[in-house]
Amino acid sequence: MEANENKIKGIPEPTVRRMPQYHNYVKNKKIQGEIYLSAPAIGRSLRLDSTQVTKDLAYTGVAGKPRIGYHVETLLAAIETFMGFNQIDHVFLVGAGNFGTALVGYPGFDEYGVKIVAAFDNDPKKIGSKIRGVPVFHIDKFRDLAQEMNVKFGIITTPPQNAQQVADLMISWGILAIWNFTPVNIQVPKHIIIQNTSIYANLAVIMNKLHHKLSIENL
Amino acid sequence: MEANENKIKGIPEPTVRRMPQYHNYVKNKKIQGEIYLSAPAIGRSLRLDSTQVTKDLAYTGVAGKPRIGYHVETLLAAIETFMGFNQIDHVFLVGAGNFGTALVGYPGFDEYGVKIVAAFDNDPKKIGSKIRGVPVFHIDKFRDLAQEMNVKFGIITTPPQNAQQVADLMISWGILAIWNFTPVNIQVPKHIIIQNTSIYANLAVIMNKLHHKLSIENL
């Protein structure tokens, strides 16, 4: 545990953010039957500097052989173990609206060791139903189920006006990491991990730039 | 056009990114029957400094009245006109897999003036089908349909290994703005607008921090 601890501690966030790219690339190469991969080849495909590739992959504990490169299978296993992609974490999602429903049962998360095992809402019409096999509970059941299933990671896809309150409740119920898909700046205590995926903010930036561009062209 | 042009030109990106938050908040207040809203009240709810709120909203051309604040209906209309939320832009999506399917027909985009009107794929099983009423075409139809429907905005939800090629094609077919949901760093010419929504990178950061946190607690 301690060795793993030390390894995790020192990873820069940009390296962590690139790991899914490496993982995806190496996995595809394995499927294609490749045995070895060089850092420059990985770099060219992912448009990264090969020195960066070598530095990033060194965190997984695997080194490439000179002139041969990385053993594909060994590297894939090392990335998965290092990032915990091969141990499934159970996650709860609050807000079984349109976007929440899209995320529940989305098979893309499985590869990264994440499984949404329950959804929560306060709409009586949704409670008791299932989304692609995942049950929807009343939010009142969150605390007990989280404790029972040892869930520490919660996703928020509620309407924005409920996001802060849901986050406060989740934290009081033992959640340590929150993934926020609402456009709200959720405030959390310092020890809580929070990541925002600002779909609407990104969309607003695109639309604004596009309208700007089109208005110039039409002047 | 020129006045609008000048207005759009000078907006800082952080202001643009906050506009969906203001929009959502003001819209809810209108539904709740509120007539006026003050900048400090908006700031408290969205956890923003009220000076920032005043500065941001000034870009829409609406000013609050001293001691009364913003007229809710006027402010809402101003944000929608300013951001173009009330004029629908047609958007094409390439990659009708799981995540693409989730985005197609997702009603949350309507509010922001965006409608995915066609999806494209190269899988014969998907071509000719409909996703919540939106037709799925072979990628070969993209060029003609984009021209016919004057579509300038494309979303990429393909497998990562196809993302760059799809982007290159889209651009050669007249697309000016790309929203990339794959983990790939897509390279585009300088005049093309690109936004990345890095779902997996965000997920990797959360998982990494959470595993780190839990490993400390278990030491």
Side-chain angles (χ1 to χ4, degrees):
Chain A
M1 202 50 144
E2 228 168 316
N4 192 34
E5 166 57 18
N6 285 334
K7 264 199 302 182
I8 291 178
K9 217 170 192 162
I11 318 172
E13 190 166 311
T15 297
V16 173
R17 294 181 67 86
R18 283 189 288 270
M19 283 293 168
Q21 288 180 256
Y22 294 124
H23 178 253
N24 186 280
Y25 178 78
V26 175
K27 195 171 180 172
N28 274 309
K29 289 298 169 189
K30 190 193 159 191
I31 292 168
Q32 288 163 27
E34 309 252 349
I35 309 293
Y36 284 98
L37 271 177
S38 72
I42 299 172
R44 272 193 303 276
S45 289
L46 301 180
R47 284 150 221 274
L48 296 167
D49 185 72
S50 83
T51 321
Q52 187 68 68
V53 172
T54 311
K55 261 174 95 175
D56 285 345
L57 294 180
Y59 284 104
T60 70
V62 169
K65 287 182 198 164
R67 291 163 182 272
I68 298 181
Y70 297 95
H71 185 246
V72 170
E73 215 161 312
T74 309
L75 179 59
L76 183 63
I79 294 171
E80 291 183 344
T81 304
F82 177 65
M83 291 296 292
F85 291 161
N86 49 6
Q87 63 182 76
I88 296 292
D89 280 282
H90 288 173
V91 178
F92 283 175
L93 175 144
V94 179
N98 287 297
F99 194 74
T101 299
L103 289 186
V104 173
Y106 170 51
F109 292 154
D110 293 17
E111 267 192 77
Y112 299 102
V114 168
K115 196 170 174 51
I116 300 172
V117 289
F120 297 84
D121 210 290
N122 58 7
D123 178 351
K125 275 177 291 191
K126 287 175 188 159
I127 292 154
S129 70
K130 284 195 173 191
I131 305 166
R132 278 171 260 176
V134 175
V136 182
F137 296 104
H138 191 279
I139 183 81
D140 288 350
K141 304 271 183 204
F142 190 112
R143 173 182 236 142
D144 287 349
L145 286 170
Q147 205 152 14
E148 213 170 284
M149 300 181 73
N150 195 30
V151 169
K152 299 294 178 199
F153 180 1
I155 297 176
I156 301 182
T157 50
T158 62
Q161 61 273 22
N162 304 332
Q164 182 66 51
Q165 197 200 344
V166 165
D168 294 345
L169 287 171
M170 276 183 170
I171 293 164
S172 77
W173 294 336
I175 288 295
L176 296 174
I178 291 174
W179 195 1
N180 170 34
F181 281 91
T182 77
V184 177
N185 289 322
I186 292 176
Q187 305 295 306
V188 297
K190 229 180 146 186
H191 70 285
I192 299 295
I193 298 155
I194 185 149
Q195 275 279 312
N196 301 300
T197 296
S198 309
I199 302 264
Y200 297 119
N202 287 343
L203 182 57
V205 170
I206 298 177
M207 297 307 288
N208 188 257
K209 288 186 178 166
L210 184 59
H211 290 163
H212 176 48
K213 189 174 196 63
L214 294 173
S215 71
I216 290 175
E217 287 178 3
N218 293 334
L219 279 183
Chain B
M1 204 50 142
E2 229 168 318
N4 192 34
E5 167 56 17
N6 285 335
K7 263 197 306 183
I8 289 178
K9 216 170 191 161
I11 318 171
E13 189 166 313
T15 297
V16 173
R17 293 182 66 86
R18 283 188 289 268
M19 282 294 169
Q21 285 180 257
Y22 293 124
H23 178 253
N24 185 282
Y25 179 77
V26 176
K27 194 169 182 176
N28 274 309
K29 289 297 169 188
K30 191 192 159 193
I31 292 167
Q32 289 163 25
E34 307 253 348
I35 309 293
Y36 284 97
L37 269 179
S38 71
I42 298 172
R44 270 193 304 278
S45 288
L46 300 181
R47 283 150 224 274
L48 297 167
D49 185 73
S50 83
T51 321
Q52 186 68 68
V53 173
T54 311
K55 263 175 94 174
D56 284 345
L57 294 179
Y59 285 103
T60 69
V62 169
K65 287 181 197 164
R67 289 164 184 274
I68 296 178
Y70 298 95
H71 184 244
V72 169
E73 216 161 311
T74 309
L75 179 59
L76 183 62
I79 295 172
E80 290 182 345
T81 304
F82 177 66
M83 291 296 293
F85 291 161
N86 49 6
Q87 62 182 75
I88 296 290
D89 281 281
H90 288 174
V91 179
F92 284 175
L93 175 143
V94 179
N98 287 297
F99 195 73
T101 300
L103 289 185
V104 173
Y106 170 51
F109 292 154
D110 294 17
E111 268 192 78
Y112 299 103
V114 168
K115 196 168 172 54
I116 300 171
V117 289
F120 297 84
D121 210 290
N122 59 5
D123 177 351
K125 276 177 290 189
K126 288 175 187 160
I127 293 154
S129 70
K130 284 194 173 193
I131 304 166
R132 280 170 260 177
V134 175
V136 182
F137 297 104
H138 191 277
I139 183 79
D140 288 349
K141 305 270 183 203
F142 190 110
R143 173 182 236 141
D144 287 349
L145 286 170
Q147 206 151 13
E148 212 171 284
M149 302 182 73
N150 194 30
V151 169
K152 300 293 178 200
F153 180 1
I155 297 176
I156 301 182
T157 50
T158 63
Q161 60 272 25
N162 304 331
Q164 181 65 52
Q165 196 201 344
V166 165
D168 294 344
L169 287 171
M170 278 183 169
I171 293 164
S172 76
W173 295 336
I175 288 296
L176 297 174
I178 291 174
W179 195 0
N180 170 33
F181 281 93
T182 77
V184 176
N185 288 323
I186 291 177
Q187 305 296 305
V188 297
K190 229 180 148 187
H191 70 284
I192 299 295
I193 298 155
I194 185 150
Q195 276 280 315
N196 302 300
T197 296
S198 310
I199 304 261
Y200 298 120
N202 287 343
L203 182 58
V205 171
I206 299 177
M207 297 307 290
N208 188 257
K209 287 186 179 166
L210 184 59
H211 289 164
H212 175 49
K213 191 176 194 62
L214 294 174
S215 71
I216 291 175
E217 287 178 4
N218 292 334
L219 282 182

